[in-house]
Amino acid sequence: MRLSSQKYRSHDYKFLVQRWKKICQKSGLKMRKILVLDNFPCFEVCSPKLAKKDIIYFSAGIHGDESGSTEGLLAWAQSNLGKLQSLPLLIYPCLNPWGLVNNSRFDASGIDMNRIWANSKNILIQHILNRTKDLHFETVINLHEDFDGQGVYLYEPSRGGRPSKKAESIMNAASAFIRVDPRRTIDCRKATNGIIRPRPSNPPKEGIPEALHFYLKHQCRTFTFETPSEFDLELRVQAHVAMIEEIFN
Ligand SMILES: [Zn+2]
């Protein structure tokens, strides 16, 4: 068993921020504090020449008990220092710092931040809605984990028609580290080889998730990556890194 000291600090938000700061210093990405949420500073990371078009958006940690997501996004950035500056990136490294520190799906007021994107009172989500309203996205990627997961899977919202093969190649890349979730039904939705293509006309009844907001308002491709949070953290991180790499292939 490999005992990396780092992996036991995946709920240490300060440590996460420190490591992102280092990545930005080394790569030329810009990191700025945007606001304070539940007593935690929140940050946005972007490329120095971020244009209004063809942006690649990443977010992680909207559910604080899914630390493989925040670690996976960070690990991908750490292993691509030389090229980050040339990519059109807008990154939210952790959307729910209180949840991360407290290992909670919810925010400090008990709200699931991934169900309030239609009309949110959360100041960080309001900030993102404002920040992004005139931007055009090439791809939006939200990193998640699933407590009940039996392998990796993803959501790609779709109105039908023939999808690209991207989702398949993403699953294939992740399967080098964690098998594809074999379930045929995941969260009451049909899954095929780990791919769920929810119809936007059938959103979760509790409210609109981040991915669906971007899909509907920005009409862009969105992927929600899911790793099984009961599996080994190092493998979950590697699976997230492999899925992100595949976006750029
Ligand atoms: Zn989640």
Side-chain angles (χ1 to χ4, degrees), residues 139-167:
T139 307
V140 165
I141 298 135
N142 307 140
L143 277 63
H144 282 255
E145 298 203 279
D146 180 359
F147 185 79
D148 296 316
Q150 297 175 15
V152 289
Y153 64 92
L154 63 75
Y155 293 90
E156 182 186 21
S158 166
R159 291 191 171 89
R162 188 177 295 177
S164 79
K165 293 273 174 215
K166 201 57 172 175

Side-chain angles (χ1 to χ4, degrees), residues 62-63 65-66 105 114 143-146 224-226:
I62 197 167
H63 293 142
D65 55 344
E66 301 173 4
R105 176 180 177 89
N114 202 31
L143 277 63
H144 282 255
E145 298 203 279
D146 180 359
T224 300
F225 297 162
E226 299 272 358

Side-chain angles (χ1 to χ4, degrees), residues 110-147:
I111 289 170
D112 184 337
M113 290 174 64
N114 202 31
R115 296 290 183 270
I116 53 174
W117 286 72
N119 183 16
S120 187
K121 292 192 175 68
N122 179 292
I123 52 169
L124 178 54
I125 294 177
Q126 280 175 349
H127 166 87
I128 296 173
L129 294 174
N130 252 325
R131 170 83 169 92
T132 56
K133 67 177 188 292
D134 297 323
L135 302 180
H136 171 268
F137 296 93
E138 203 263 325
T139 307
V140 165
I141 298 135
N142 307 140
L143 277 63
H144 282 255
E145 298 203 279
D146 180 359
F147 185 79

Side-chain angles (χ1 to χ4, degrees), residues 13 16 34-35 37-38 40-44 57-64 69-70 73 91-100 105-108 111 113-114 116-117 122-128 141-144 210-211 214:
Y13 181 64
L16 182 77
I34 44 180
L35 48 83
L37 177 66
D38 298 327
F40 290 93
C42 294
F43 297 88
E44 177 179 286
Y57 172 107
F58 286 102
S59 77
I62 197 167
H63 293 142
S69 73
T70 38
L73 185 54
I91 300 174
Y92 293 93
C94 181
L95 292 179
N96 181 5
W98 183 92
L100 187 73
R105 176 180 177 89
F106 306 104
D107 72 2
I111 289 170
M113 290 174 64
N114 202 31
I116 53 174
W117 286 72
N122 179 292
I123 52 169
L124 178 54
I125 294 177
Q126 280 175 349
H127 166 87
I128 296 173
I141 298 135
N142 307 140
L143 277 63
H144 282 255
E210 182 182 13
F214 280 98

